[in-house]
Amino acid sequence: MDDFDLELDEMELVSAAAGYYYYNCVTKQPCLSISPSGSGFLMEVLNGDDDFCREMLRMDKHVFHKLCDNLRNRGMLRDTAGVMIEEQLAIFLNIVGHNERNRVIQERFQHSGETISRHFNNVLKAIKSLSREFLQPAPTSTPPEILASNRFYPYFKDCIGVIDGMHIPAHVPAKDQSRFRNKRGDLSQNVLAACTFDLQFIFIYPGWEGSAADSRVLRAVLDDPDQNFPEIPEGKYYLVDMGYSNMEGFIAPYQGVRYNLHEYRGANHLPRNAKELFNHRQASLRNVIQRSFDVLKARFPILKLAPQYAFHTQRDIVIAACVLHNLIRREEINDWLFNGIDGVLVEDLSDLDDHPDMQLALPINGQIASSLRDSIAASMWDDFINKWDEW
């Protein structure tokens, strides 16, 4: 073979290589329009099995894409030269959905620690800014979950939601630890939460010290107009547990009477009087907020451990998690975590306050609430005794 043939072969190889490069990098489009830099893992997730996507992103694919479009169209997040919005959101969801450390996410997404941290904080800020849109006051009409049950309707027809405290493990400096240590001896932030009967959060107020009583946190919110607690329509009320005072707008169980659901099991499970019947049904209806808490923590395990972030970031993570919780509830009726808790009564293990601060309820407000509670209890007891056996 002469030199001319060798030169021709080399030219053919160069031409073939150029053609191959053009086909793969110019004419051949990827399945997803995501920057190839560091996005291999995300493309694997979005092009893969639905269950794998749910596991990694904590939501269904169509919900993820809709959220990305929302953030992009509103200008809340922007694509960068190296990281598209889809990958920014995936980084955030991997952190809060698996409580992963920065170095793990660096390896997974092939970005520097600074890039991971920057996009985490940008996404956190963007999702938190959606709180006014997704944390909405409850409808004033009787909830369908109450209308559908003769155990609850018409007795609780004016109930619009449930309120309780949720303790989230907290990472705080040594000088603050005594204030954040709750009654179980753990460091936590006390989060005031209100939810509807379809498991959506209405109001979230994180950041209180773990030592603060639930009733104290509620009173602080009600006394501060800047907290924007939804106005309670006249005649309407929330259900609360033993840690709160029975007062206008907030109906608590009877003190000194069986209340927790586990107390109504076994041989003596039937209620013996109107107060016990009221407490059992109030606890059964109020259980919806414990189910909401369970779904929230199952989806975002970062809420089960104290993350190594500044406290204001820990507080914002709670708000963002609740926003995503509501978004998923609205966009995917068959979400696997919500379906798994549907109709299930869960044990109420969160109560750290057994006795409310009675000074928080004004005498007149307390009398109005007591009269309403007595009226409800008498009505349901009369029906229970004279009309039907279900309780």
Side-chain angles (χ1 to χ4, degrees):
M1 183 179 294
D2 55 25
D3 292 340
F4 177 80
D5 291 331
L6 287 174
E7 184 177 354
L8 182 61
D9 288 344
E10 290 173 355
M11 290 176 63
E12 289 174 344
L13 287 172
V14 171
S15 177
Y20 181 83
Y21 174 83
Y22 179 84
Y23 174 77
N24 281 277
C25 299
V26 180
T27 64
K28 187 178 180 181
Q29 298 298 316
C31 296
L32 293 163
S33 180
I34 301 176
S35 168
S37 176
S39 65
F41 173 75
L42 178 58
M43 293 181 70
E44 178 186 350
V45 171
L46 294 179
N47 290 325
D49 182 77
D50 290 342
D51 288 337
F52 181 53
C53 179
R54 295 184 188 110
E55 172 61 25
M56 299 312 301
L57 302 182
R58 316 308 292 156
M59 61 181 67
D60 282 270
K61 293 178 184 178
H62 74 94
V63 181
F64 176 82
H65 286 301
K66 186 166 185 176
L67 178 55
C68 289
D69 291 342
N70 193 353
L71 296 171
R72 177 177 284 112
N73 294 337
R74 295 187 181 194
M76 294 177 172
L77 291 175
R78 297 183 184 279
D79 299 318
T80 68
V83 188
M84 301 289 279
I85 287 175
E86 286 78 4
E87 192 172 6
Q88 298 173 31
L89 180 59
I91 288 170
F92 177 82
L93 293 174
N94 266 246
I95 293 174
V96 299
H98 299 274
N99 197 31
E100 298 282 25
R101 297 299 178 89
N102 187 293
R103 64 179 179 272
V104 175
I105 303 300
Q106 289 179 49
E107 177 65 24
R108 183 172 296 165
F109 288 90
Q110 294 296 294
H111 291 301
S112 69
E114 186 278 331
T115 298
I116 297 296
S117 179
R118 172 162 40 86
H119 288 303
F120 172 85
N121 285 296
N122 288 343
V123 174
L124 176 60
K125 181 180 178 181
I127 294 177
K128 182 189 172 186
S129 69
L130 294 172
S131 60
R132 288 187 179 274
E133 177 180 345
F134 284 95
L135 301 177
Q136 289 286 323
T140 57
S141 57
T142 301
E145 295 81 6
I146 291 178
L147 280 171
S149 172
N150 59 6
R151 296 178 65 234
F152 303 136
Y153 185 82
Y155 319 110
F156 296 107
K157 60 183 176 60
D158 293 319
C159 181
I160 57 175
V162 181
I163 286 178
D164 201 1
M166 171 175 58
H167 282 261
I168 301 296
H171 175 73
V172 294
K175 63 182 180 63
D176 296 324
Q177 290 186 359
S178 61
R179 294 188 297 114
F180 281 85
R181 197 170 300 282
N182 60 40
K183 291 184 178 180
R184 292 179 182 154
D186 302 319
L187 295 176
S188 67
Q189 57 169 312
N190 191 353
V191 180
L192 178 69
C195 79
T196 62
F197 293 101
D198 69 342
L199 303 173
Q200 290 195 53
F201 291 106
I202 303 167
F203 180 83
I204 292 291
Y205 184 34
W208 272 79
E209 312 94 303
S211 62
D214 288 348
S215 53
R216 177 187 165 202
V217 179
L218 177 59
R219 174 51 60 192
V221 168
L222 297 177
D223 288 344
D224 185 358
D226 291 338
Q227 298 305 324
N228 295 313
F229 186 83
E231 183 177 353
I232 304 175
E234 185 176 356
K236 302 294 183 177
Y237 57 84
Y238 290 93
L239 296 181
V240 294
D241 68 7
M242 289 286 192
Y244 301 89
S245 299
N246 190 64
M247 57 185 181
E248 189 174 11
F250 306 91
I251 301 299
Y254 287 99
Q255 294 281 342
V257 179
R258 283 191 299 172
Y259 171 66
N260 291 311
L261 295 177
H262 67 81
E263 297 179 272
Y264 288 85
R265 297 172 183 165
N268 297 318
H269 66 284
L270 287 174
R272 295 166 293 190
N273 52 55
K275 291 183 177 180
E276 286 195 354
L277 180 63
F278 175 89
N279 275 12
H280 181 270
R281 289 188 182 173
Q282 198 260 16
S284 298
L285 191 55
R286 200 191 64 82
N287 193 257
V288 67
I289 200 164
Q290 295 303 321
R291 302 205 303 274
S292 297
F293 291 161
D294 281 7
V295 171
L296 182 73
K297 292 180 180 181
R299 193 181 307 276
F300 304 116
I302 197 171
L303 301 178
K304 296 180 180 180
L305 299 169
Q308 305 293 306
Y309 294 109
F311 188 70
H312 69 86
T313 300
Q314 298 176 56
R315 186 179 62 238
D316 289 349
I317 287 172
V318 176
I319 298 173
C322 291
V323 169
L324 293 172
H325 172 101
N326 282 10
L327 166 71
I328 295 167
R329 185 58 166 167
R330 297 180 192 182
E331 296 295 336
E332 180 48 71
I333 191 65
N334 293 316
D335 175 80
W336 81 104
L337 286 175
F338 282 114
N339 281 349
I341 205 73
D342 187 39
V344 177
L345 291 179
V346 299
E347 286 296 336
D348 184 355
L349 301 176
S350 65
D351 292 336
L352 296 176
D353 298 310
D354 296 327
H355 304 289
D357 185 346
M358 301 308 294
Q359 294 180 349
L360 296 178
L362 298 176
I364 296 178
N365 288 342
Q367 290 174 8
I368 294 173
S370 293
S371 296
L372 175 60
R373 183 175 61 183
D374 291 343
S375 174
I376 295 172
S379 176
M380 67 171 58
W381 180 252
D382 182 67
D383 288 344
F384 173 67
I385 294 298
N386 298 309
K387 294 184 179 180
W388 43 282
D389 294 329
E390 183 183 0
W391 65 281

